Amino acid sequence: AERGCDGAGGGRPLVLDSGCGTGRSTLLFAEQHPDCLVVGVDRSLARLRKGRNVSGAPRETVDDEGNELVHSARENALLVRADLPVFWRLAAAKGWRLRQHRLLFPNPYPKGSMLTQRWHAHPCFSLVLRLGGSLELRSNWRTYLDEALIATHAVAEVASAEVARPEVAAAQNALAAGCAVVEYAHAPPFASEFEEKYAAAKLPLFRLVLELDRLAASSL
């Protein structure tokens, strides 16, 4: 992914589409914002392959076993097969700074026993905050986003001696900029298959945007 970004990025602002599924949201965002390099990441090769037919002729990178790792979906978009916590850890270690980070309709793991599998309750949530930028979460389950906001407050309230930690500063920036869970109107073009399905069922959809940088990036 790093090699792909070096080849396709050209110094452009970086957008990360985590849990992109078929890559529909990645391609839509790349089309809408040609000035950015959009990287979609999903752990399922089957899902990524399902959506590849809409993206034209690919450029591929494979591992030693022939498994596709990186797929160049269009001039300013990459689709990457990777486990998200590992990808976030490597990106943070490499010093990636995002303009925008999208987590659209993540698996909510609704049972109470599954709480720690939700991203905001997972140890990797600090990595998400460290990557910075404008973090946007969408869900049809408001509770998921309410919990994400509570988790952001919890990180921001870490003892003052720990304020130097980048995730603490990022959370404090988001709260200082103002953030709230809001219902939004859904209309074509839909960002993902989930958004389209929920819209067809006339279900309410919710979003939460966290501006993690002190000087927030210009609105996309």
Side-chain angles (χ1 to χ4, degrees):
E2 184 180 15
R3 290 195 299 270
C5 288
D6 288 343
R12 287 179 289 193
L14 186 60
V15 175
L16 186 58
D17 187 14
S18 292
C20 66
T22 63
R24 177 173 173 176
S25 52
T26 307
L27 296 177
L28 176 62
F29 201 81
E31 180 181 350
Q32 292 174 338
H33 302 281
D35 62 313
C36 297
L37 175 63
V38 186
V39 180
V41 182
D42 200 273
R43 68 180 178 181
S44 171
L45 183 58
R47 283 194 290 265
L48 291 171
R49 283 177 170 167
K50 181 179 179 181
R52 66 181 298 166
N53 292 334
V54 302
S55 63
R59 173 176 59 79
E60 300 176 0
T61 299
V62 298
D63 63 15
D64 293 339
E65 297 178 353
N67 296 313
E68 182 182 338
L69 298 176
V70 177
H71 163 55
S72 183
R74 51 174 286 145
E75 186 271 336
N76 68 322
L78 295 175
L79 297 177
V80 180
R81 182 178 68 84
D83 185 62
L84 281 175
V86 174
F87 188 93
W88 291 334
R89 176 175 57 82
L90 293 175
K94 286 293 184 179
W96 282 24
R97 296 297 298 175
L98 306 179
R99 173 180 282 190
Q100 187 167 27
H101 190 178
R102 312 179 95 201
L103 275 166
L104 307 186
F105 304 98
N107 188 331
Y109 294 105
K111 294 182 179 179
S113 60
M114 298 178 171
L115 173 63
T116 57
Q117 297 183 62
R118 301 171 197 165
W119 290 132
H120 49 269
H122 192 282
C124 69
F125 186 58
S126 63
L127 299 174
V128 174
L129 298 177
R130 287 186 189 189
L131 291 172
S134 180
L135 173 62
E136 179 181 2
L137 300 95
R138 297 185 193 179
S139 180
N140 67 313
W141 189 36
R142 178 168 185 145
T143 297
Y144 189 95
L145 301 186
D146 287 336
E147 289 179 352
L149 186 53
I150 291 171
T152 304
H153 276 275
V155 174
E157 292 169 3
V158 169
S160 58
E162 301 291 336
V163 170
R165 290 168 54 182
E167 65 269 26
V168 176
Q172 292 176 341
N173 290 339
L175 298 179
C179 49
V181 177
V182 297
E183 184 174 346
Y184 71 93
H186 37 69
F190 298 108
S192 72
E193 290 82 359
F194 285 112
E195 189 170 69
E196 184 174 17
K197 179 179 73 172
Y198 297 142
K202 301 186 184 305
L203 296 175
L205 298 179
F206 305 94
R207 67 195 295 260
L208 171 64
V209 177
L210 302 173
E211 299 292 353
L212 301 175
D213 296 334
R214 184 173 298 279
L215 296 177
S218 58
S219 179
L220 294 178

